Amino acid sequence: MYQQIQLPYAFNALEPNIDALTMETHYTKHHAGYTKNLNEAAAEAGVADKEITDLLCTLSSISDEALRKKIRNNGGGFYNHNIYFGTLSPKGGGQPSGKLGNEIEKSLGGFSTFKEDISKLAANQFGSGWAWLSVAKDGKLVLSSSPNQDNPLSEGKDLIPIFGIDVWEHAYYLKYKNLRADYVKALFNVVDWQAVEKNYQQALNK
Ligand code: MN3
Protein backbone atom coordinates (compact mmCIF):
# COMPACT_ATOMS: atom_id res chain seq x y z
CA MET A 1 0.00 0.00 0.00
CA TYR A 2 1.19 3.44 -0.89
CA GLN A 3 0.76 5.68 2.15
CA GLN A 4 0.58 9.43 2.62
CA ILE A 5 3.34 10.81 4.80
CA GLN A 6 2.21 11.71 8.28
CA LEU A 7 2.31 15.47 8.69
CA PRO A 8 4.76 16.40 11.46
CA TYR A 9 2.77 19.60 12.07
CA ALA A 10 -0.87 20.68 12.52
CA PHE A 11 -3.00 21.94 9.62
CA ASN A 12 -2.89 25.45 11.08
CA ALA A 13 0.85 25.37 11.80
CA LEU A 14 1.84 27.12 8.57
CA GLU A 15 -0.48 30.11 9.12
CA PRO A 16 -0.44 32.82 7.94
CA ASN A 17 1.63 31.63 4.97
CA ILE A 18 -0.67 28.72 4.15
CA ASP A 19 -4.08 28.73 5.77
CA ALA A 20 -5.43 25.82 7.81
CA LEU A 21 -8.43 25.08 5.58
CA THR A 22 -6.24 24.86 2.49
CA MET A 23 -3.83 22.53 4.28
CA GLU A 24 -6.60 20.31 5.63
CA THR A 25 -8.43 20.08 2.29
CA HIS A 26 -5.21 19.57 0.38
CA TYR A 27 -4.02 16.73 2.60
CA THR A 28 -7.27 14.97 3.57
CA LYS A 29 -9.09 15.36 0.24
CA HIS A 30 -6.70 15.93 -2.67
CA HIS A 31 -3.67 13.96 -1.50
CA ALA A 32 -5.82 11.26 0.10
CA GLY A 33 -7.77 10.96 -3.16
CA TYR A 34 -4.65 10.54 -5.30
CA THR A 35 -3.37 7.93 -2.87
CA LYS A 36 -6.60 5.91 -2.85
CA ASN A 37 -6.87 6.01 -6.65
CA LEU A 38 -3.22 5.02 -7.03
CA ASN A 39 -3.65 2.02 -4.73
CA GLU A 40 -6.68 0.85 -6.70
CA ALA A 41 -5.09 1.34 -10.11
CA ALA A 42 -1.73 -0.17 -9.10
CA ALA A 43 -3.49 -3.27 -7.73
CA GLU A 44 -5.48 -3.61 -10.94
CA ALA A 45 -2.34 -3.26 -13.06
CA GLY A 46 -0.41 -5.71 -10.87
CA VAL A 47 2.33 -3.19 -10.05
CA ALA A 48 1.46 -2.38 -6.43
CA ASP A 49 4.69 -3.96 -5.16
CA LYS A 50 6.88 -1.40 -6.94
CA GLU A 51 8.56 1.48 -5.16
CA ILE A 52 6.73 4.64 -6.23
CA THR A 53 9.86 6.10 -7.86
CA ASP A 54 10.37 2.89 -9.83
CA LEU A 55 6.68 2.84 -10.80
CA LEU A 56 6.81 6.41 -12.14
CA CYS A 57 9.99 5.67 -14.12
CA THR A 58 8.49 2.56 -15.76
CA LEU A 59 5.01 3.78 -16.74
CA SER A 60 5.53 2.65 -20.34
CA SER A 61 5.55 -0.99 -19.19
CA ILE A 62 1.84 -0.70 -18.26
CA SER A 63 0.14 -1.78 -21.47
CA ASP A 64 -3.43 -0.73 -20.67
CA GLU A 65 -3.62 2.91 -21.69
CA ALA A 66 -6.38 3.97 -19.29
CA LEU A 67 -4.63 2.34 -16.33
CA ARG A 68 -1.28 3.83 -17.35
CA LYS A 69 -2.85 7.30 -17.43
CA LYS A 70 -4.55 6.76 -14.08
CA ILE A 71 -1.27 5.64 -12.50
CA ARG A 72 0.67 8.52 -14.05
CA ASN A 73 -1.80 11.08 -12.68
CA ASN A 74 -2.53 9.55 -9.28
CA GLY A 75 0.93 8.11 -8.73
CA GLY A 76 2.33 11.55 -9.49
CA GLY A 77 -0.23 13.13 -7.19
CA PHE A 78 0.70 10.72 -4.42
CA TYR A 79 4.47 11.12 -4.79
CA ASN A 80 4.52 14.87 -5.48
CA HIS A 81 2.50 15.68 -2.38
CA ASN A 82 4.67 13.49 -0.17
CA ILE A 83 7.59 15.65 -1.28
CA TYR A 84 5.60 18.89 -0.90
CA PHE A 85 4.16 18.25 2.57
CA GLY A 86 7.43 16.68 3.73
CA THR A 87 9.46 19.78 2.92
CA LEU A 88 7.29 22.32 4.75
CA SER A 89 7.57 23.27 8.41
CA PRO A 90 6.39 26.02 10.76
CA LYS A 91 10.10 26.35 11.61
CA GLY A 92 11.05 26.62 7.94
CA GLY A 93 12.21 29.56 5.89
CA GLY A 94 15.64 31.06 5.57
CA GLN A 95 18.00 29.31 3.22
CA PRO A 96 19.86 26.03 3.05
CA SER A 97 23.38 25.68 4.34
CA GLY A 98 25.72 22.71 4.12
CA LYS A 99 26.13 20.61 1.03
CA LEU A 100 22.79 21.65 -0.50
CA GLY A 101 23.54 25.33 0.04
CA ASN A 102 26.96 24.88 -1.62
CA GLU A 103 25.49 23.03 -4.59
CA ILE A 104 22.83 25.74 -5.07
CA GLU A 105 25.74 28.19 -5.34
CA LYS A 106 27.58 25.99 -7.83
CA SER A 107 24.72 24.73 -9.99
CA LEU A 108 22.19 27.54 -9.80
CA GLY A 109 24.13 30.73 -9.12
CA GLY A 110 23.24 31.15 -5.44
CA PHE A 111 20.10 31.09 -3.34
CA SER A 112 18.52 34.36 -4.49
CA THR A 113 18.97 33.45 -8.17
CA PHE A 114 17.57 29.97 -7.49
CA LYS A 115 14.57 31.43 -5.66
CA GLU A 116 13.90 33.89 -8.46
CA ASP A 117 14.23 31.24 -11.17
CA ILE A 118 12.06 28.56 -9.54
CA SER A 119 9.46 31.23 -8.68
CA LYS A 120 9.37 32.21 -12.36
CA LEU A 121 8.87 28.58 -13.39
CA ALA A 122 6.03 28.35 -10.85
CA ALA A 123 4.45 31.57 -12.10
CA ASN A 124 4.78 30.65 -15.78
CA GLN A 125 3.45 27.08 -15.54
CA PHE A 126 0.25 27.43 -17.56
CA GLY A 127 -2.66 25.95 -15.64
CA SER A 128 -2.05 23.27 -13.02
CA GLY A 129 1.35 21.81 -12.34
CA TRP A 130 4.60 21.98 -10.41
CA ALA A 131 7.97 23.69 -10.33
CA TRP A 132 10.84 21.39 -9.33
CA LEU A 133 14.30 21.36 -7.83
CA SER A 134 15.94 18.08 -8.80
CA VAL A 135 19.27 16.28 -8.68
CA ALA A 136 20.97 14.93 -11.81
CA LYS A 137 23.11 11.78 -11.89
CA ASP A 138 26.30 13.87 -11.57
CA GLY A 139 24.97 15.57 -8.41
CA LYS A 140 24.18 18.86 -10.12
CA LEU A 141 20.91 20.63 -9.31
CA VAL A 142 18.40 21.32 -12.07
CA LEU A 143 15.16 23.34 -12.21
CA SER A 144 12.13 22.39 -14.28
CA SER A 145 8.36 22.56 -14.34
CA SER A 146 5.68 20.00 -15.16
CA PRO A 147 2.00 20.12 -16.07
CA ASN A 148 -0.71 18.25 -14.13
CA GLN A 149 0.74 15.74 -11.63
CA ASP A 150 3.76 14.98 -13.77
CA ASN A 151 7.27 15.22 -12.38
CA PRO A 152 10.80 14.62 -13.71
CA LEU A 153 10.42 10.85 -13.10
CA SER A 154 7.17 10.39 -15.02
CA GLU A 155 8.53 12.70 -17.74
CA GLY A 156 11.45 10.31 -18.24
CA LYS A 157 14.08 12.85 -17.25
CA ASP A 158 17.17 11.48 -15.55
CA LEU A 159 16.49 13.59 -12.45
CA ILE A 160 15.35 12.95 -8.90
CA PRO A 161 13.07 15.69 -7.52
CA ILE A 162 13.89 16.89 -3.99
CA PHE A 163 11.59 19.92 -3.64
CA GLY A 164 8.47 20.95 -5.50
CA ILE A 165 6.13 23.91 -5.58
CA ASP A 166 2.51 22.89 -6.12
CA VAL A 167 0.85 25.52 -8.32
CA TRP A 168 -2.54 23.83 -8.66
CA GLU A 169 -5.18 26.35 -7.58
CA HIS A 170 -6.20 23.97 -4.75
CA ALA A 171 -2.83 24.77 -3.12
CA TYR A 172 -3.53 28.49 -2.75
CA TYR A 173 -6.86 29.73 -4.09
CA LEU A 174 -8.81 29.95 -0.80
CA LYS A 175 -6.36 32.48 0.59
CA TYR A 176 -4.53 33.97 -2.39
CA LYS A 177 -7.26 33.76 -5.07
CA ASN A 178 -5.62 34.49 -8.44
CA LEU A 179 -2.37 35.76 -6.89
CA ARG A 180 -0.17 32.72 -7.42
CA ALA A 181 3.04 34.72 -7.10
CA ASP A 182 2.06 35.85 -3.57
CA TYR A 183 1.51 32.24 -2.55
CA VAL A 184 4.90 31.20 -3.93
CA LYS A 185 6.58 34.06 -2.08
CA ALA A 186 4.86 33.07 1.18
CA LEU A 187 5.69 29.39 0.66
CA PHE A 188 9.38 30.22 0.97
CA ASN A 189 8.70 31.28 4.60
CA VAL A 190 7.82 27.68 5.48
CA VAL A 191 10.21 25.58 3.38
CA ASP A 192 12.09 23.13 5.57
CA TRP A 193 15.55 23.24 4.00
CA GLN A 194 16.82 20.52 6.33
CA ALA A 195 14.20 18.19 4.87
CA VAL A 196 15.20 19.22 1.34
CA GLU A 197 18.83 18.56 2.29
CA LYS A 198 17.82 15.06 3.46
CA ASN A 199 16.13 14.43 0.10
CA TYR A 200 19.27 15.70 -1.60
CA GLN A 201 21.54 13.32 0.35
CA GLN A 202 19.20 10.39 -0.37
CA ALA A 203 19.17 11.23 -4.09
CA LEU A 204 22.97 11.37 -4.14
CA ASN A 205 23.16 7.94 -2.52
CA LYS A 206 20.96 6.30 -5.17
MN1 MN3 B 1 -1.81 19.72 -4.68
Side-chain angles (χ1 to χ4, degrees), residues 14-31:
L14 306 181
E15 294 264 13
N17 297 288
I18 305 180
D19 62 286
L21 183 58
T22 294
M23 285 299 294
E24 183 171 2
T25 311
H26 203 173
Y27 181 80
T28 67
K29 307 292 184 195
H30 295 277
H31 193 197

Side-chain angles (χ1 to χ4, degrees), residues 31-201:
H31 193 197
Y34 296 127
T35 305
K36 179 174 179 284
N37 292 338
L38 167 65
N39 278 310
E40 287 170 5
E44 201 180 332
V47 293
D49 58 330
K50 284 193 177 183
E51 288 284 330
I52 187 62
T53 48
D54 185 30
L55 179 59
L56 291 172
C57 291
T58 56
L59 287 168
S60 59
S61 66
I62 301 165
S63 53
D64 183 282
E65 195 182 336
L67 266 183
R68 183 168 68 242
K69 193 173 172 190
K70 199 170 171 193
I71 290 173
R72 180 176 189 136
N73 289 335
N74 291 287
F78 163 75
Y79 175 76
N80 297 349
H81 288 88
N82 270 358
I83 294 180
Y84 179 78
F85 289 125
T87 51
L88 300 178
S89 165
K91 293 178 189 149
Q95 59 185 76
S97 53
K99 209 169 171 179
L100 177 63
N102 289 339
E103 194 52 48
I104 286 177
E105 291 288 334
K106 270 169 50 186
S107 294
L108 302 173
F111 184 76
S112 54
T113 305
F114 151 69
K115 187 177 167 183
E116 200 175 303
D117 289 345
I118 197 171
S119 297
K120 265 187 216 158
L121 286 171
N124 293 337
Q125 170 56 43
F126 184 77
S128 297
W130 293 78
W132 296 108
L133 171 66
S134 304
V135 186
K137 283 267 155 31
D138 60 3
K140 288 212 166 68
L141 295 169
V142 179
L143 301 182
S144 67
S145 59
S146 312
N148 307 315
Q149 293 295 354
D150 287 351
N151 58 48
L153 302 178
S154 61
E155 290 172 325
K157 293 177 177 166
D158 222 356
L159 299 170
I160 299 175
I162 60 171
F163 167 65
I165 301 177
D166 187 346
V167 296
W168 282 59
E169 285 183 344
H170 67 226
Y172 63 88
Y173 209 85
L174 292 178
K175 181 178 171 81
Y176 293 97
K177 301 297 184 283
N178 58 314
L179 303 177
R180 184 189 283 185
D182 288 0
Y183 149 72
V184 171
K185 197 173 164 198
L187 187 76
F188 273 92
N189 295 328
V190 289
V191 175
D192 181 351
W193 292 110
Q194 287 181 354
V196 181
E197 169 103 33
K198 262 187 213 161
N199 290 346
Y200 176 60
Q201 295 287 358

